Amino acid sequence: MSGPAANAPSEHDEKRDAAVDESVADVIERMRATGGRATTARRLILRSLFGSPRHRTAEDLAAEVQAEAPDVHLSTVYRNLEELERLGVVTHVHLGHGPATYHLAPTTHCHLVCEECGTVLEVGDQLFSALATVTLEEFGFTIDPHHFAMRGRCRDCSRRAGPE
């Protein structure tokens, strides 16, 4: 297919874009209720976060925002991410030795990172619930499994390595 119809957004794309717009508007409304402003940078950061569920560093998000608004600085992205985290919209996690990555808070989950190939697996909170219970009961310590990643080997790398 060629011509204008080939580049026309599908009904699915239009619905996804409408859902993203609605989500962005909801967060902007929450920000305004706490005295925040609805800046172009905030809207673009939110569109990027709601538009894709993957984890991104502040630098990744800045590059996406700067594609549409080149004058938005990295420091602006960091300040906005801090504010969004304070409001409970986003959370960050350290997946390894690199910079923190950010994702939407409603999709909170835990992370398993393969030390061999770098694969990141997202797993449900229930995987760490027993660990959280033991650390609380035995040590009086409350863990936050969303803020860090468990490192090890993925299934494929374990198979390639063979039995230990």
Side-chain angles (χ1 to χ4, degrees), residues 121-153:
L121 300 173
E122 297 176 358
V123 297
D125 292 355
Q126 69 279 6
L127 183 66
F128 291 105
S129 62
L131 175 63
T133 299
V134 168
T135 58
L136 182 60
E137 290 175 357
E138 291 191 22
F139 305 103
F141 190 84
T142 303
I143 65 168
D144 178 6
H146 308 116
H147 192 74
F148 68 91
M150 294 292 284
R151 301 183 62 78
R153 260 194 221 138

Short mmCIF file of all heavy atoms in Angstrom, two decimals, residues 121-153:
data_model
loop_
_atom_site.label_atom_id
_atom_site.label_comp_id
_atom_site.label_asym_id
_atom_site.label_seq_id
_atom_site.Cartn_x
_atom_site.Cartn_y
_atom_site.Cartn_z
N LEU A 121 14.11 -8.96 33.46
CA LEU A 121 12.79 -9.59 33.57
C LEU A 121 11.99 -8.83 34.62
O LEU A 121 12.50 -8.55 35.72
CB LEU A 121 12.92 -11.05 33.99
CG LEU A 121 13.71 -11.96 33.06
CD1 LEU A 121 13.90 -13.34 33.69
CD2 LEU A 121 13.00 -12.08 31.73
N GLU A 122 10.78 -8.50 34.29
CA GLU A 122 9.87 -7.87 35.24
C GLU A 122 9.01 -8.97 35.86
O GLU A 122 8.41 -9.75 35.14
CB GLU A 122 9.00 -6.84 34.54
CG GLU A 122 9.81 -5.70 33.96
CD GLU A 122 8.97 -4.72 33.17
OE1 GLU A 122 7.75 -4.92 33.03
OE2 GLU A 122 9.55 -3.75 32.67
N VAL A 123 9.00 -9.02 37.17
CA VAL A 123 8.24 -10.05 37.88
C VAL A 123 7.31 -9.40 38.88
O VAL A 123 7.55 -8.29 39.35
CB VAL A 123 9.18 -11.06 38.58
CG1 VAL A 123 10.04 -11.80 37.55
CG2 VAL A 123 10.08 -10.38 39.59
N GLY A 124 6.25 -10.09 39.20
CA GLY A 124 5.25 -9.57 40.12
C GLY A 124 5.80 -9.40 41.53
O GLY A 124 6.76 -10.06 41.93
N ASP A 125 5.19 -8.51 42.27
CA ASP A 125 5.59 -8.22 43.65
C ASP A 125 5.58 -9.47 44.54
O ASP A 125 6.36 -9.57 45.48
CB ASP A 125 4.64 -7.20 44.28
CG ASP A 125 4.77 -5.84 43.65
OD1 ASP A 125 5.65 -5.65 42.80
OD2 ASP A 125 3.98 -4.96 44.02
N GLN A 126 4.69 -10.41 44.25
CA GLN A 126 4.54 -11.58 45.10
C GLN A 126 5.83 -12.40 45.18
O GLN A 126 6.05 -13.10 46.18
CB GLN A 126 3.36 -12.45 44.65
CG GLN A 126 3.54 -13.16 43.33
CD GLN A 126 3.27 -12.31 42.10
OE1 GLN A 126 3.04 -11.12 42.19
NE2 GLN A 126 3.31 -12.93 40.94
N LEU A 127 6.71 -12.30 44.19
CA LEU A 127 7.96 -13.05 44.22
C LEU A 127 8.80 -12.67 45.43
O LEU A 127 9.46 -13.50 46.03
CB LEU A 127 8.74 -12.82 42.93
CG LEU A 127 10.05 -13.61 42.80
CD1 LEU A 127 9.74 -15.11 42.70
CD2 LEU A 127 10.83 -13.15 41.60
N PHE A 128 8.76 -11.40 45.83
CA PHE A 128 9.57 -10.94 46.94
C PHE A 128 8.80 -10.83 48.25
O PHE A 128 9.35 -10.40 49.26
CB PHE A 128 10.20 -9.58 46.61
CG PHE A 128 11.25 -9.68 45.53
CD1 PHE A 128 10.98 -9.25 44.25
CD2 PHE A 128 12.49 -10.22 45.81
CE1 PHE A 128 11.94 -9.34 43.26
CE2 PHE A 128 13.46 -10.32 44.83
CZ PHE A 128 13.19 -9.88 43.54
N SER A 129 7.53 -11.22 48.27
CA SER A 129 6.74 -11.06 49.48
C SER A 129 7.27 -11.91 50.64
O SER A 129 7.29 -11.47 51.78
CB SER A 129 5.26 -11.35 49.22
OG SER A 129 5.08 -12.68 48.80
N ALA A 130 7.75 -13.14 50.35
CA ALA A 130 8.31 -13.98 51.41
C ALA A 130 9.59 -13.35 51.97
O ALA A 130 9.81 -13.33 53.18
CB ALA A 130 8.58 -15.39 50.90
N LEU A 131 10.43 -12.83 51.09
CA LEU A 131 11.66 -12.16 51.53
C LEU A 131 11.32 -10.95 52.40
O LEU A 131 11.94 -10.74 53.45
CB LEU A 131 12.48 -11.73 50.31
CG LEU A 131 13.74 -10.92 50.60
CD1 LEU A 131 14.74 -11.72 51.42
CD2 LEU A 131 14.36 -10.45 49.28
N ALA A 132 10.34 -10.17 51.98
CA ALA A 132 9.93 -9.00 52.76
C ALA A 132 9.41 -9.41 54.14
O ALA A 132 9.73 -8.76 55.14
CB ALA A 132 8.85 -8.22 52.00
N THR A 133 8.66 -10.49 54.20
CA THR A 133 8.13 -10.97 55.48
C THR A 133 9.26 -11.42 56.41
O THR A 133 9.29 -11.06 57.58
CB THR A 133 7.14 -12.13 55.24
OG1 THR A 133 6.06 -11.64 54.44
CG2 THR A 133 6.59 -12.67 56.55
N VAL A 134 10.20 -12.20 55.89
CA VAL A 134 11.31 -12.70 56.70
C VAL A 134 12.17 -11.54 57.20
O VAL A 134 12.54 -11.50 58.38
CB VAL A 134 12.17 -13.72 55.91
CG1 VAL A 134 13.48 -14.02 56.63
CG2 VAL A 134 11.37 -14.98 55.67
N THR A 135 12.50 -10.59 56.34
CA THR A 135 13.35 -9.48 56.78
C THR A 135 12.65 -8.63 57.83
O THR A 135 13.30 -8.13 58.76
CB THR A 135 13.82 -8.59 55.62
OG1 THR A 135 12.70 -8.07 54.93
CG2 THR A 135 14.71 -9.36 54.66
N LEU A 136 11.34 -8.49 57.72
CA LEU A 136 10.60 -7.72 58.71
C LEU A 136 10.52 -8.48 60.04
O LEU A 136 10.81 -7.93 61.11
CB LEU A 136 9.20 -7.39 58.20
CG LEU A 136 8.34 -6.54 59.12
CD1 LEU A 136 9.01 -5.19 59.39
CD2 LEU A 136 6.96 -6.34 58.51
N GLU A 137 10.14 -9.76 59.98
CA GLU A 137 9.96 -10.55 61.20
C GLU A 137 11.28 -10.83 61.92
O GLU A 137 11.35 -10.76 63.14
CB GLU A 137 9.24 -11.86 60.89
CG GLU A 137 7.79 -11.65 60.52
CD GLU A 137 7.09 -12.93 60.09
OE1 GLU A 137 7.74 -14.00 60.01
OE2 GLU A 137 5.87 -12.86 59.81
N GLU A 138 12.32 -11.15 61.18
CA GLU A 138 13.58 -11.54 61.82
C GLU A 138 14.50 -10.36 62.12
O GLU A 138 15.30 -10.43 63.06
CB GLU A 138 14.31 -12.57 60.96
CG GLU A 138 13.58 -13.91 60.94
CD GLU A 138 14.41 -15.01 60.32
OE1 GLU A 138 15.66 -14.90 60.29
OE2 GLU A 138 13.80 -15.99 59.87
N PHE A 139 14.42 -9.30 61.33
CA PHE A 139 15.36 -8.20 61.49
C PHE A 139 14.68 -6.85 61.76
O PHE A 139 15.37 -5.85 61.98
CB PHE A 139 16.24 -8.07 60.25
CG PHE A 139 16.96 -9.34 59.90
CD1 PHE A 139 16.52 -10.13 58.86
CD2 PHE A 139 18.06 -9.76 60.64
CE1 PHE A 139 17.17 -11.31 58.53
CE2 PHE A 139 18.72 -10.94 60.32
CZ PHE A 139 18.27 -11.72 59.27
N GLY A 140 13.35 -6.81 61.70
CA GLY A 140 12.64 -5.56 61.88
C GLY A 140 12.94 -4.57 60.76
O GLY A 140 12.83 -3.36 60.94
N PHE A 141 13.30 -5.09 59.60
CA PHE A 141 13.73 -4.27 58.48
C PHE A 141 12.72 -4.39 57.34
O PHE A 141 12.40 -5.50 56.92
CB PHE A 141 15.12 -4.73 58.00
CG PHE A 141 15.76 -3.81 57.02
CD1 PHE A 141 16.46 -2.70 57.46
CD2 PHE A 141 15.67 -4.05 55.66
CE1 PHE A 141 17.07 -1.85 56.56
CE2 PHE A 141 16.28 -3.22 54.75
CZ PHE A 141 16.98 -2.11 55.20
N THR A 142 12.24 -3.27 56.86
CA THR A 142 11.29 -3.26 55.75
C THR A 142 12.05 -3.00 54.45
O THR A 142 12.74 -1.98 54.34
CB THR A 142 10.23 -2.16 55.95
OG1 THR A 142 9.58 -2.38 57.20
CG2 THR A 142 9.21 -2.17 54.83
N ILE A 143 11.94 -3.92 53.51
CA ILE A 143 12.63 -3.74 52.23
C ILE A 143 11.71 -3.10 51.20
O ILE A 143 10.49 -3.17 51.31
CB ILE A 143 13.19 -5.07 51.67
CG1 ILE A 143 12.05 -6.05 51.33
CG2 ILE A 143 14.19 -5.70 52.61
CD1 ILE A 143 12.51 -7.25 50.52
N ASP A 144 12.32 -2.48 50.22
CA ASP A 144 11.61 -1.91 49.07
C ASP A 144 12.12 -2.62 47.83
O ASP A 144 13.10 -2.19 47.22
CB ASP A 144 11.85 -0.42 48.97
CG ASP A 144 11.16 0.21 47.76
OD1 ASP A 144 10.41 -0.51 47.06
OD2 ASP A 144 11.39 1.40 47.51
N PRO A 145 11.51 -3.74 47.45
CA PRO A 145 12.04 -4.51 46.32
C PRO A 145 11.86 -3.82 44.97
O PRO A 145 12.40 -4.28 43.97
CB PRO A 145 11.23 -5.81 46.37
CG PRO A 145 9.97 -5.43 47.05
CD PRO A 145 10.33 -4.35 48.03
N HIS A 146 11.17 -2.71 44.92
CA HIS A 146 10.97 -2.02 43.65
C HIS A 146 12.14 -1.11 43.31
O HIS A 146 12.28 -0.64 42.20
CB HIS A 146 9.68 -1.18 43.69
CG HIS A 146 8.52 -1.99 44.12
ND1 HIS A 146 7.83 -1.73 45.28
CD2 HIS A 146 7.94 -3.08 43.57
CE1 HIS A 146 6.88 -2.63 45.42
NE2 HIS A 146 6.92 -3.45 44.40
N HIS A 147 12.98 -0.83 44.29
CA HIS A 147 14.05 0.13 44.12
C HIS A 147 15.36 -0.51 43.65
O HIS A 147 16.29 0.18 43.28
CB HIS A 147 14.27 0.88 45.43
CG HIS A 147 15.14 2.06 45.31
ND1 HIS A 147 14.73 3.23 44.73
CD2 HIS A 147 16.43 2.26 45.66
CE1 HIS A 147 15.71 4.10 44.76
NE2 HIS A 147 16.75 3.54 45.32
N PHE A 148 15.44 -1.81 43.69
CA PHE A 148 16.67 -2.48 43.29
C PHE A 148 16.34 -3.67 42.40
O PHE A 148 15.19 -4.01 42.21
CB PHE A 148 17.47 -2.93 44.51
CG PHE A 148 16.81 -4.05 45.28
CD1 PHE A 148 17.08 -5.37 45.00
CD2 PHE A 148 15.90 -3.75 46.29
CE1 PHE A 148 16.46 -6.39 45.71
CE2 PHE A 148 15.29 -4.76 47.01
CZ PHE A 148 15.57 -6.08 46.72
N ALA A 149 17.38 -4.29 41.87
CA ALA A 149 17.20 -5.46 41.03
C ALA A 149 17.98 -6.63 41.61
O ALA A 149 19.06 -6.45 42.17
CB ALA A 149 17.69 -5.17 39.61
N MET A 150 17.43 -7.80 41.49
CA MET A 150 18.15 -9.03 41.86
C MET A 150 18.96 -9.43 40.64
O MET A 150 18.43 -9.50 39.53
CB MET A 150 17.17 -10.15 42.23
CG MET A 150 16.36 -9.87 43.48
SD MET A 150 17.36 -9.88 44.97
CE MET A 150 17.60 -11.62 45.18
N ARG A 151 20.24 -9.67 40.86
CA ARG A 151 21.13 -10.02 39.76
C ARG A 151 21.41 -11.51 39.78
O ARG A 151 21.46 -12.12 40.84
CB ARG A 151 22.40 -9.21 39.86
CG ARG A 151 22.10 -7.70 39.81
CD ARG A 151 23.30 -6.84 39.83
NE ARG A 151 24.19 -7.02 38.71
CZ ARG A 151 24.01 -6.52 37.50
NH1 ARG A 151 22.93 -5.83 37.24
NH2 ARG A 151 24.88 -6.72 36.55
N GLY A 152 21.59 -12.08 38.61
CA GLY A 152 21.88 -13.50 38.49
C GLY A 152 22.02 -13.86 37.03
O GLY A 152 22.51 -13.05 36.23
N ARG A 153 21.55 -15.05 36.66
CA ARG A 153 21.60 -15.51 35.27
C ARG A 153 20.22 -15.89 34.78
O ARG A 153 19.49 -16.57 35.47
CB ARG A 153 22.48 -16.75 35.17
CG ARG A 153 23.85 -16.48 34.69
CD ARG A 153 24.53 -17.78 34.29
NE ARG A 153 25.88 -17.71 34.75
CZ ARG A 153 26.55 -18.68 35.32
NH1 ARG A 153 26.00 -19.85 35.48
NH2 ARG A 153 27.77 -18.49 35.71
#
